[in-house]
Amino acid sequence: MSKVQNIIEEIKGLSLLEASELVKGIEEAFGVSAAAATMAAAPAAGGAAAAAAPAEEKTEFNVVLTAIGGNKIGVIKAVREITSLGLKEAKDLVESAPKPIKEGVSKDEAEAIKKKFTEACATVEVK
């Protein structure tokens, strides 16, 4: 066996705590960071595979009220309907725009919320 293979076999026998201490010792001895090495090695190793893989489609969206427009009362009613907030809380949310209205909703629900606010003359962003 080569030196490298012997070292690998020794590392396999270490406990998790010992392996952690080994990494810290190597970082200190050579002035390197394991995190930076991992980040640099990942694109080199899987760059072509990552580029070929389709991007994951986002499944959760946040709806953010960006501007209330000219129909403040209609926007407050829409906020109350969607969030079940009380009148004061809904009014405070509308007056402090830009503010998230709902977070972690599906794409269809986000589009429905956006449509409702557009009808109330408000501007919303789906993120």
Side-chain angles (χ1 to χ4, degrees):
M1 271 190 176
S2 70
K3 278 186 172 180
V4 174
Q5 289 298 340
N6 287 336
I7 293 171
I8 290 173
E9 290 303 316
E10 287 289 322
I11 291 173
K12 285 181 182 179
L14 296 177
S15 70
L16 196 53
L17 182 60
E18 292 169 331
S20 175
E21 291 173 4
L22 175 65
V23 170
K24 287 179 185 174
I26 291 172
E27 287 176 342
E28 290 173 8
F30 296 104
V32 295
S33 173
T38 303
M39 295 301 291
E56 279 190 39
E57 189 172 329
K58 194 172 177 183
T59 57
E60 290 187 350
F61 297 87
N62 297 333
V63 182
V64 179
L65 176 66
T66 55
I68 58 174
N71 186 5
K72 184 176 177 180
I73 294 172
V75 176
I76 292 172
K77 286 181 181 179
V79 168
R80 290 191 67 204
E81 184 178 322
I82 291 180
T83 62
S84 301
L85 290 175
L87 180 61
K88 181 174 179 1
E89 292 85 5
K91 180 178 178 274
D92 291 344
L93 187 144
V94 168
E95 290 175 345
S96 63
K99 270 291 213 209
I101 299 168
K102 264 214 157 163
E103 297 178 330
V105 296
S106 69
K107 185 174 186 175
D108 294 335
E109 186 177 355
E111 289 301 321
I113 293 170
K114 182 177 181 177
K115 182 180 178 193
K116 184 172 291 290
F117 279 93
T118 304
E119 291 170 358
C121 299
T123 307
V124 295
E125 277 184 19
V126 176
K127 297 182 178 182

